[in-house]
């Protein structure tokens, strides 16, 4: 999970640094995902605690939530297929992307190159 988290941080930073609609989408997604992940982890740990699980099992439940989220973000951010960047966004954000077709193409190219260099292109 550690390497995946570092990759996601780097990819998101690159996307946000480019600005425009994709940066706005990624920033919004990042904030909402953090809130949702925390809530999901809290529910998982509360349920495990109420079942009488030991402390290390409760911690494992919380880390499992974050590990799944980080892994899916890494896959989404390194997926070179067309449309991967827009996966899971709402209609209003899709409309904003239409305003920036060149930026979307450049970012897709950059992510495809980085995925190839890091060995994630075969996924």
């Amino acid at each position: 999970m550690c390497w995946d988290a570092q990759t996601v941080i780097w990819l998101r930073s690159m996307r946000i640094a480019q600005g425009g609609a994709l940066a706005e989408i990624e920033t919004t997604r990042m904030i909402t995902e953090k809130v949702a992940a925390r809530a999901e982890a809290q529910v998982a740990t509360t349920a495990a605690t109420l079942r009488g699980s030991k402390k290390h099992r409760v911690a494992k439940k919380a880390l499992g939530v974050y590990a799944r989220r980080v892994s899916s973000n890494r896959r989404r951010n390194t997926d070179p297929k067309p449309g991967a960047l827009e996966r899971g966004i709402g209609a209003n954000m899709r409309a904003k992307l239409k305003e920036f077709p060149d930026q979307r193409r450049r970012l897709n190219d950059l992510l495809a190159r980085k995925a190839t260099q890091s060995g994630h292109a075969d996924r």
Side-chain angles (χ1 to χ4, degrees):
M1 182 174 101
C2 179
W3 291 110
D4 281 348
Q6 293 297 320
T7 302
V8 168
I9 290 168
W10 184 83
L11 289 168
R12 280 184 158 168
S13 297
M14 294 300 290
R15 184 167 303 156
I16 292 168
Q18 286 200 343
L22 288 174
E24 185 178 337
I25 290 168
E26 195 61 38
T27 303
T28 303
R29 173 182 263 160
M30 184 172 56
I31 292 167
T32 57
E33 283 179 352
K34 286 183 185 302
V35 172
R38 183 170 187 269
E40 187 181 340
Q42 189 172 10
V43 168
T45 55
T46 301
T49 302
L50 291 174
R51 282 193 298 266
S53 297
K54 296 187 182 218
K55 290 179 185 178
H56 70 280
R57 297 242 184 250
V58 172
K60 190 173 182 176
K61 289 285 186 185
L63 287 176
V65 169
Y66 292 115
R68 281 191 307 276
R69 299 246 181 183
V70 166
S71 180
S72 68
N73 275 321
R74 184 199 40 82
R75 280 192 308 273
R76 180 180 56 81
N77 282 306
T78 57
D79 191 353
K81 296 177 194 148
L85 297 175
E86 297 87 4
R87 195 177 306 139
I89 64 173
N92 59 339
M93 291 296 190
R94 261 190 228 100
K96 285 189 178 208
L97 279 177
K98 290 179 182 175
E99 299 172 17
F100 300 93
D102 293 336
Q103 183 187 36
R104 182 176 169 268
R105 190 189 77 252
R106 283 195 316 262
L107 188 56
N108 271 329
D109 293 344
L110 172 71
L111 291 174
R113 277 197 311 273
K114 290 299 176 186
T116 303
Q117 291 172 357
S118 66
H120 292 290
D122 58 333
R123 294 182 186 204

